[in-house]
């Protein structure tokens, strides 16, 4: 094996070992939040811009309540996410394709570390939050991507209703 391949393998193994505690259920092990990045489903929101709060409950029956949410384009929503179960759950917002892909990756690498502004990991009996600015209309999804949870149906939908022409403004 060449020195380049050895160095690459060492870097990959080091990265994998750093991610081993990602879903162990403690809030203290959070990585630094990722920067803002425009996604199909919006962009990270600011607390001072919140226009609405939506309470979401996660349970060990692998369900979200509510599992259908409607927002208006331009709203910044604070999701207050309560884990009413006895195991770790998470809420991840995205497109169905993104969530399917991420769920498959999580199944292969269950210790994978990720901390994006469109996801919140909530330990059993705890409450977390996620603030998201919905600046694009469309039908999007949210889910718990912990291995087995998504596959058991722990998912929901978010409909972002487009602004009328009279309400349009730059984002």
């Amino acid at each position: 094996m060449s020195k380049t391949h050895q160095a690459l393998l060492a870097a990959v193994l080091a990265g994998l070992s750093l991610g081993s505690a990602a879903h162990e259920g403690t809030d203290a092990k959070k990585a630094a939040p990722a920067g803002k990045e425009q996604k199909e489903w919006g962009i990270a929101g600011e607390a001072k811009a919140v226009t609405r709060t939506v309470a979401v409950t996660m349970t060990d029956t692998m369900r979200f309540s509510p599992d259908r949410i409607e927002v208006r384009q331009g709203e910044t929503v604070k999701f207050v996410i309560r884990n009413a179960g006895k195991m770790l759950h998470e809420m991840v917002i995205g497109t169905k394709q993104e969530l399917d892909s991420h769920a498959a990756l999580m199944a292969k690498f269950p210790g994978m570390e990720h901390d994006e502004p469109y996801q919140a990991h909530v330990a059993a009996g705890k409450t977390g939050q996620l603030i998201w600015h919905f600046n694009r209309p469309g039908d999007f999804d949210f889910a718990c991507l912990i291995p087995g949870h998504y596959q058991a149906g722990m998912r929901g939908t978010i409909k972002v209703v487009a602004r009328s022409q009279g309400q349009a403004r730059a984002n």
Side-chain angles (χ1 to χ4, degrees), residues 96-164:
K96 181 165 180 355
Q97 181 180 7
E98 285 266 339
L99 295 176
D100 286 347
S101 174
H102 193 157
L105 200 56
M106 288 296 298
K108 286 183 181 179
F109 304 103
M112 185 175 83
E113 184 171 344
H114 52 273
D115 188 21
E116 300 290 342
Y118 52 86
Q119 40 186 253
H121 314 285
V122 185
K126 302 289 184 188
T127 300
Q129 72 175 24
L130 187 157
I131 299 174
W132 197 253
H133 179 66
F134 293 95
N135 60 1
R136 295 185 173 177
D139 293 318
F140 305 106
D141 295 278
F142 61 94
C144 179
L145 301 181
I146 292 173
H149 297 205
Y150 184 63
Q151 295 79 358
M154 195 166 184
R155 56 187 97 180
T157 59
I158 298 173
K159 180 175 190 64
V160 182
V161 180
R163 286 187 206 120
S164 67

Side-chain angles (χ1 to χ4, degrees), residues 42-147:
I43 193 166
E46 299 287 337
K48 64 185 176 201
V50 170
T51 55
R52 180 171 161 207
T53 299
V54 174
V56 177
T57 301
M58 302 181 291
T59 65
D60 291 347
T61 59
M62 304 304 155
R63 296 294 180 258
F64 288 97
S65 180
D67 63 357
R68 294 169 200 250
I69 300 167
E70 186 172 299
V71 300
R72 289 180 311 279
Q73 181 183 5
E75 278 190 297
T76 298
V77 177
K78 175 167 77 171
F79 293 96
V80 176
I81 309 153
R82 184 174 66 91
N83 183 345
K86 295 184 188 298
M87 62 180 75
L88 177 70
H89 291 292
E90 65 183 5
M91 180 176 172
V92 181
I93 302 172
T95 62
K96 181 165 180 355
Q97 181 180 7
E98 285 266 339
L99 295 176
D100 286 347
S101 174
H102 193 157
L105 200 56
M106 288 296 298
K108 286 183 181 179
F109 304 103
M112 185 175 83
E113 184 171 344
H114 52 273
D115 188 21
E116 300 290 342
Y118 52 86
Q119 40 186 253
H121 314 285
V122 185
K126 302 289 184 188
T127 300
Q129 72 175 24
L130 187 157
I131 299 174
W132 197 253
H133 179 66
F134 293 95
N135 60 1
R136 295 185 173 177
D139 293 318
F140 305 106
D141 295 278
F142 61 94
C144 179
L145 301 181
I146 292 173

